[in-house]
Amino acid sequence: MCAAASRGPSSRSAEPSVAEGAGKAGQRLDGAPTARVIVAGASGFAGALAAQLVWRHPHLELVEVTSRSDAGRPLSDLYPRYRVPLELAELDPGRIEADAAIVAYPHGVSAPVVADMRGLGLSVVDLSADFRLGDLPTYEHWYGEHGAPDLLEGAVYGLTELHRDAVREAELVANPGCYPTAALLALAPLAREGLIDDVVVDAKSGISGSGRGGGDANHFVTLDENTTPYKTEGHRHEPEISEQLRIAGGRDVPLTFVPHLLPLDQGELVSCYVRPSREISQDEAEELFRGAYENEPFVEVAEAPPGVRDVRDTNLCRIRVVSRPDRLLVFAAIDNLWKGAAGQAIQNLNLMLGLPETEGLE
Amino acid sequence: MCAAASRGPSSRSAEPSVAEGAGKAGQRLDGAPTARVIVAGASGFAGALAAQLVWRHPHLELVEVTSRSDAGRPLSDLYPRYRVPLELAELDPGRIEADAAIVAYPHGVSAPVVADMRGLGLSVVDLSADFRLGDLPTYEHWYGEHGAPDLLEGAVYGLTELHRDAVREAELVANPGCYPTAALLALAPLAREGLIDDVVVDAKSGISGSGRGGGDANHFVTLDENTTPYKTEGHRHEPEISEQLRIAGGRDVPLTFVPHLLPLDQGELVSCYVRPSREISQDEAEELFRGAYENEPFVEVAEAPPGVRDVRDTNLCRIRVVSRPDRLLVFAAIDNLWKGAAGQAIQNLNLMLGLPETEGLE
Amino acid sequence: MCAAASRGPSSRSAEPSVAEGAGKAGQRLDGAPTARVIVAGASGFAGALAAQLVWRHPHLELVEVTSRSDAGRPLSDLYPRYRVPLELAELDPGRIEADAAIVAYPHGVSAPVVADMRGLGLSVVDLSADFRLGDLPTYEHWYGEHGAPDLLEGAVYGLTELHRDAVREAELVANPGCYPTAALLALAPLAREGLIDDVVVDAKSGISGSGRGGGDANHFVTLDENTTPYKTEGHRHEPEISEQLRIAGGRDVPLTFVPHLLPLDQGELVSCYVRPSREISQDEAEELFRGAYENEPFVEVAEAPPGVRDVRDTNLCRIRVVSRPDRLLVFAAIDNLWKGAAGQAIQNLNLMLGLPETEGLE
Amino acid sequence: MCAAASRGPSSRSAEPSVAEGAGKAGQRLDGAPTARVIVAGASGFAGALAAQLVWRHPHLELVEVTSRSDAGRPLSDLYPRYRVPLELAELDPGRIEADAAIVAYPHGVSAPVVADMRGLGLSVVDLSADFRLGDLPTYEHWYGEHGAPDLLEGAVYGLTELHRDAVREAELVANPGCYPTAALLALAPLAREGLIDDVVVDAKSGISGSGRGGGDANHFVTLDENTTPYKTEGHRHEPEISEQLRIAGGRDVPLTFVPHLLPLDQGELVSCYVRPSREISQDEAEELFRGAYENEPFVEVAEAPPGVRDVRDTNLCRIRVVSRPDRLLVFAAIDNLWKGAAGQAIQNLNLMLGLPETEGLE
């Protein structure tokens, strides 16, 4: 049975939540119940893709899409490519009829919305940073006051490959940042074995990672034929990566992280330069990574350097490890909107709802 | 002698206006006087390039750059590539010390500024549409009320190759739109001979033609891997092209003009599909174009289809004519910011000031 | 029952051709038989996508992929993004075990291969131009000698929306060129009503339309930040469009067609400038197009200009019609590799095999 | 006096080598003698730009352009943008009439050509790697047998800012690789002070750095919307950087260097992650770099992260240093074809010929 059914408060879901729309009915394969999902903040890049992935998912029903800035507009006006035939609404917690929510609001704005959703009993995947850091002072240092600190403890960090069992049991999942997703998939197998003395992560992202706003900063003419580092004094994904490396390996890992913008739309590559605690041969390194990911549906250990184009519009992370005399190099490519945001949100939601992990993502 | 010297009001230019900056002094070739130029609206794409072209020009001195939105910022913050070491100022007509002005304000905003400049005796090249159309009702139909209609009659339409002698005598030049520049260079040799029964102009422009604003519309993610027509019901460059074709040939030329956006920065291509009034062979067509442009420093008649990359960062227009059974095809490529805006402004200013037409543009 | 089953010669398909691969089995929804498909020429852009679409199709089994130039290499080496785990083979007609073929060889090379396939009883969709033109002399003028002229008469021109019933009955379908696909979907509703006096088609294509070869011509540095017309003296898609317009409307339609290259990967826009035989209002024009396409799963009649990004990685054609005083403008956007090649091939194959037309394309 | 005059063998330059072409005469400023320059290998990206820079240089005369693959073609067919009106010739050492040469042949091919040129008494700037490494075994390890080992000792490594005095006296200059140029300008100020314990250099280059060939590898469709590391096991620019760091600081500097391709034309960014030998504050770091480069015409020490667009089509290197707790970050952006190849070649040639260092590069 779909986990969502037992979780949705019965007073609000007395009727079976099976989709009835003609267009979607054709996708129902087996009469299994369908979880009703709201996507809050669907006018941003990640939220819009999340809405599309829910829309085309065989066991999820997209019941509502909301937006603070574009309420009243059809989502397909903003994203014709996604062809989701719903209109963006103002979020009104009083009339939510759903089993689960994907929340794609900005950091800080998200926490109170998540609290409302949780109060209504919904399973929530939050795409903001609000519940990613277990350490409240670290959060406050980078993001300011927290809007729902009491929910922090129950939140699960949703890098699925690292915390699958916890995600399965979670009612609130903090979806990781795009850079941490790629960096941690690249580094976790080494961190777990205590093999990292220190690491430099040089990250490169397509422009969709910058979000829909930005004025001059995201103008085509600013970014075309350009590449530039940014947040060179420190980026807030750095403590997120550090905390998870510490959790994985049980000790602090000195980390230098610098992001760069690339003149492309979707795609992210992290190049990790590890000073290993001992010499590791190419064979051992490859074996370690293959072992770590052999049963993972969304991680590929490649034999050549990965390109972001190899994973575009997929939920895959493609990894290559290279042993050099004093360094271990690990390269990981993802689509920042998929595995780095909306795709991983569906992956997590599938687990939370008792659905097959890969459903709707292939 | 530099024409500007005689035109600048003596009370405001008592001292010789020879530049003294060390960096520029090395570029002074011959001790000739230098015209002092203000660029108003230098924070936009065309205005900023105009400022740079003035800055590096051997006989122009860039005395001031102004901006409505970015006053107080160094121009090199906005356009590091241009390396113009001046700070943007608020425009204050009361303290202008210049012989000439390039005005790059938006349509409607420009006319009153131009009127002020002319009142001070400056030679003016205006990059807006405010003085391009000789017919006031047509202007008002497309742009609204006119801010300085009394100046219309004295203004010269600055498509240099078509109106060189008038530009030389002008004190106010209306710099053509980027699309009209390319389209008219492509069509004028035919229009003059009465050879056009009707014409379709399919125009394609890089994104810098859209200007610095635009929010979503100019966001990298909107435009990358995309192309789209716009203003399909009618674009205000259409009456500008029509009026000039009528002037060139003495009769109305039915015209359909549609612009498209391309995912590139600078560059513009017009593809003109002419229904000729009589059959014209390939040889005759080529001879007509070569004859029309043989002495033009900035027009190339090519033997292969032109690419916008061929003319990037130049003031050149590259043209190819192809005769087909029932059509004459003319393709013209320019850099929309150079020949389509700032480059042609310098070309016109050179003529107005008695300088060699190509100076500062090679 | 799957049409393919009856068509495959029994001697070669004694066993039921249900796929047995574990990875694919999960996609079998209902136990229906599966047609076995070979993709010949799978190392080119269109062939590779065709292979992927067959691979992920619920009722097609990809049994073989061949290549003249890359035999022996895994297809995923060339196209990691598609994740088809087959190795490219030399084509050997003697050991083909399939019910249907998609042939993606170059013009001229294709015809004899198609003849072999047809000799073995396979249903064939040919992506080359070899069977598109009904008129042999026209073919020979543009492409040279024909390799299998006796098959011409039985071939069906596979612009599905125009010839659906014939495709359903066909054993050999000539998949249209990418430009004709977009141009004919834009123009057929008008041609059928005899409304076109003449038409200019200005077409713009992403680089994948140029194919995998090309040397300098397809080098990133040649194409980046560039746009250029090509084949301006005449492109061989022109007679293909003309023939189909004549078939649709019963009379010759004067046509000028010029293609241009855009600096993007997948995507194609045609801008059609029709001189109508009588005045047609905006309302009438929109009604005509909506009526023509209201039941079409892959054609969208839009209310705003289409962008190629709107249809990227889909089998959709998005059309906008605009009435102007003396012209009717029709813009159509497709993904040149999908609706312009491999997607439409699947659409046709579905019909030929008795499968739902949209299967595997959503 | 122009150094070239004294160097050219008198028998071959009996006549004064002042250019007589009308187009160039206008650029002669002062009647000074002009050095006659041949560009060998002008059909590649760097060679073609070198040809253009010589062509437009006020005191250089471009007397010949050669090509192994494209002899007989006008250079402007291959590079219309550069407008150099010469035809590519086969290189024939027997009829060279020049004072200096820029050689832009591939590694290995270059050395014997350089030897010929030197035998004729020409001053030579070689763009290949053949004379960059002082250590012959290292050369042979990375490039194979050396074609003119006896010339190695007299060759000067032409990173102008590091070896200006030696370049001034040199008759053979080995122009640095593009990556070493950016990396060494970023690291030399630190290396000289012995401040680098180890360093990771993550380098990112536009596609022109890959050269004109490449087939699939340089196809637009391969590179568009992509980024990928390459030569991850080791790139031959690494020993070049190491050798120069050792020369600068008098000790070995552990170095990890990995290059990446970006979807843009010209531009290169290196991100250097230095483990410093002692703590260095932001102020000290900035002061160190400002001091090192305060009089350099082509190095900018910036206060914000550099973008490659900031230096496009210039000979500038733009550097930013950032101090973090355990790392010193140095970012350097150049145009790989200018400062990374042809621009620096002119800079070196100016010095070798006694001309102002910046001439022809502003």
PDB file of all heavy atoms in Angstrom, chain C residues 281-292:
ATOM      1  N   SER C 281      -8.496  36.848 -42.118  1.00  0.00           N
ATOM      2  CA  SER C 281      -8.374  37.542 -40.837  1.00  0.00           C
ATOM      3  C   SER C 281      -7.621  36.680 -39.838  1.00  0.00           C
ATOM      4  O   SER C 281      -7.464  35.469 -40.009  1.00  0.00           O
ATOM      5  CB  SER C 281      -9.763  37.856 -40.279  1.00  0.00           C
ATOM      6  OG  SER C 281     -10.367  36.644 -39.843  1.00  0.00           O
ATOM      7  N   GLN C 282      -7.180  37.323 -38.746  1.00  0.00           N
ATOM      8  CA  GLN C 282      -6.495  36.583 -37.691  1.00  0.00           C
ATOM      9  C   GLN C 282      -7.412  35.473 -37.146  1.00  0.00           C
ATOM     10  O   GLN C 282      -6.970  34.335 -36.960  1.00  0.00           O
ATOM     11  CB  GLN C 282      -6.087  37.549 -36.567  1.00  0.00           C
ATOM     12  CG  GLN C 282      -5.342  36.903 -35.412  1.00  0.00           C
ATOM     13  CD  GLN C 282      -3.971  36.361 -35.825  1.00  0.00           C
ATOM     14  OE1 GLN C 282      -3.375  36.841 -36.788  1.00  0.00           O
ATOM     15  NE2 GLN C 282      -3.506  35.338 -35.131  1.00  0.00           N
ATOM     16  N   ASP C 283      -8.670  35.810 -36.933  1.00  0.00           N
ATOM     17  CA  ASP C 283      -9.599  34.817 -36.386  1.00  0.00           C
ATOM     18  C   ASP C 283      -9.753  33.631 -37.333  1.00  0.00           C
ATOM     19  O   ASP C 283      -9.707  32.474 -36.916  1.00  0.00           O
ATOM     20  CB  ASP C 283     -10.976  35.453 -36.132  1.00  0.00           C
ATOM     21  CG  ASP C 283     -10.975  36.269 -34.852  1.00  0.00           C
ATOM     22  OD1 ASP C 283      -9.966  36.221 -34.112  1.00  0.00           O
ATOM     23  OD2 ASP C 283     -11.961  36.976 -34.614  1.00  0.00           O
ATOM     24  N   GLU C 284      -9.967  33.940 -38.604  1.00  0.00           N
ATOM     25  CA  GLU C 284     -10.138  32.849 -39.557  1.00  0.00           C
ATOM     26  C   GLU C 284      -8.883  31.987 -39.626  1.00  0.00           C
ATOM     27  O   GLU C 284      -8.951  30.753 -39.671  1.00  0.00           O
ATOM     28  CB  GLU C 284     -10.461  33.412 -40.955  1.00  0.00           C
ATOM     29  CG  GLU C 284     -10.743  32.305 -41.968  1.00  0.00           C
ATOM     30  CD  GLU C 284     -10.907  32.828 -43.406  1.00  0.00           C
ATOM     31  OE1 GLU C 284     -10.946  34.051 -43.595  1.00  0.00           O
ATOM     32  OE2 GLU C 284     -10.979  31.971 -44.325  1.00  0.00           O
ATOM     33  N   ALA C 285      -7.737  32.648 -39.619  1.00  0.00           N
ATOM     34  CA  ALA C 285      -6.485  31.908 -39.713  1.00  0.00           C
ATOM     35  C   ALA C 285      -6.324  30.973 -38.508  1.00  0.00           C
ATOM     36  O   ALA C 285      -5.995  29.791 -38.655  1.00  0.00           O
ATOM     37  CB  ALA C 285      -5.307  32.875 -39.805  1.00  0.00           C
ATOM     38  N   GLU C 286      -6.567  31.517 -37.335  1.00  0.00           N
ATOM     39  CA  GLU C 286      -6.402  30.678 -36.135  1.00  0.00           C
ATOM     40  C   GLU C 286      -7.383  29.515 -36.150  1.00  0.00           C
ATOM     41  O   GLU C 286      -7.041  28.381 -35.799  1.00  0.00           O
ATOM     42  CB  GLU C 286      -6.594  31.517 -34.868  1.00  0.00           C
ATOM     43  CG  GLU C 286      -5.469  32.526 -34.675  1.00  0.00           C
ATOM     44  CD  GLU C 286      -5.399  33.069 -33.248  1.00  0.00           C
ATOM     45  OE1 GLU C 286      -5.836  32.376 -32.307  1.00  0.00           O
ATOM     46  OE2 GLU C 286      -4.895  34.202 -33.084  1.00  0.00           O
ATOM     47  N   GLU C 287      -8.615  29.809 -36.578  1.00  0.00           N
ATOM     48  CA  GLU C 287      -9.630  28.767 -36.621  1.00  0.00           C
ATOM     49  C   GLU C 287      -9.230  27.657 -37.592  1.00  0.00           C
ATOM     50  O   GLU C 287      -9.400  26.465 -37.319  1.00  0.00           O
ATOM     51  CB  GLU C 287     -10.963  29.397 -37.035  1.00  0.00           C
ATOM     52  CG  GLU C 287     -12.181  28.605 -36.590  1.00  0.00           C
ATOM     53  CD  GLU C 287     -13.448  29.438 -36.787  1.00  0.00           C
ATOM     54  OE1 GLU C 287     -13.394  30.663 -36.518  1.00  0.00           O
ATOM     55  OE2 GLU C 287     -14.462  28.862 -37.243  1.00  0.00           O
ATOM     56  N   LEU C 288      -8.698  28.082 -38.726  1.00  0.00           N
ATOM     57  CA  LEU C 288      -8.267  27.111 -39.729  1.00  0.00           C
ATOM     58  C   LEU C 288      -7.214  26.160 -39.144  1.00  0.00           C
ATOM     59  O   LEU C 288      -7.290  24.937 -39.302  1.00  0.00           O
ATOM     60  CB  LEU C 288      -7.690  27.855 -40.939  1.00  0.00           C
ATOM     61  CG  LEU C 288      -7.199  26.996 -42.106  1.00  0.00           C
ATOM     62  CD1 LEU C 288      -8.358  26.350 -42.837  1.00  0.00           C
ATOM     63  CD2 LEU C 288      -6.381  27.854 -43.083  1.00  0.00           C
ATOM     64  N   PHE C 289      -6.257  26.733 -38.444  1.00  0.00           N
ATOM     65  CA  PHE C 289      -5.187  25.902 -37.888  1.00  0.00           C
ATOM     66  C   PHE C 289      -5.680  25.061 -36.711  1.00  0.00           C
ATOM     67  O   PHE C 289      -5.325  23.887 -36.581  1.00  0.00           O
ATOM     68  CB  PHE C 289      -3.981  26.763 -37.483  1.00  0.00           C
ATOM     69  CG  PHE C 289      -3.072  27.034 -38.641  1.00  0.00           C
ATOM     70  CD1 PHE C 289      -3.359  28.046 -39.549  1.00  0.00           C
ATOM     71  CD2 PHE C 289      -1.942  26.262 -38.866  1.00  0.00           C
ATOM     72  CE1 PHE C 289      -2.530  28.287 -40.647  1.00  0.00           C
ATOM     73  CE2 PHE C 289      -1.110  26.496 -39.946  1.00  0.00           C
ATOM     74  CZ  PHE C 289      -1.410  27.503 -40.842  1.00  0.00           C
ATOM     75  N   ARG C 290      -6.514  25.653 -35.896  1.00  0.00           N
ATOM     76  CA  ARG C 290      -7.024  24.856 -34.772  1.00  0.00           C
ATOM     77  C   ARG C 290      -7.857  23.681 -35.283  1.00  0.00           C
ATOM     78  O   ARG C 290      -7.766  22.565 -34.771  1.00  0.00           O
ATOM     79  CB  ARG C 290      -7.858  25.727 -33.826  1.00  0.00           C
ATOM     80  CG  ARG C 290      -7.008  26.688 -33.049  1.00  0.00           C
ATOM     81  CD  ARG C 290      -7.732  27.350 -31.878  1.00  0.00           C
ATOM     82  NE  ARG C 290      -6.895  28.431 -31.386  1.00  0.00           N
ATOM     83  CZ  ARG C 290      -5.804  28.232 -30.637  1.00  0.00           C
ATOM     84  NH1 ARG C 290      -5.462  27.017 -30.264  1.00  0.00           N
ATOM     85  NH2 ARG C 290      -5.060  29.261 -30.258  1.00  0.00           N
ATOM     86  N   GLY C 291      -8.646  23.968 -36.305  1.00  0.00           N
ATOM     87  CA  GLY C 291      -9.450  22.885 -36.878  1.00  0.00           C
ATOM     88  C   GLY C 291      -8.574  21.791 -37.463  1.00  0.00           C
ATOM     89  O   GLY C 291      -8.824  20.598 -37.276  1.00  0.00           O
ATOM     90  N   ALA C 292      -7.542  22.197 -38.138  1.00  0.00           N
ATOM     91  CA  ALA C 292      -6.691  21.209 -38.813  1.00  0.00           C
ATOM     92  C   ALA C 292      -5.988  20.296 -37.819  1.00  0.00           C
ATOM     93  O   ALA C 292      -5.738  19.119 -38.109  1.00  0.00           O
ATOM     94  CB  ALA C 292      -5.649  21.925 -39.684  1.00  0.00           C
TER      95      ALA C 292
END
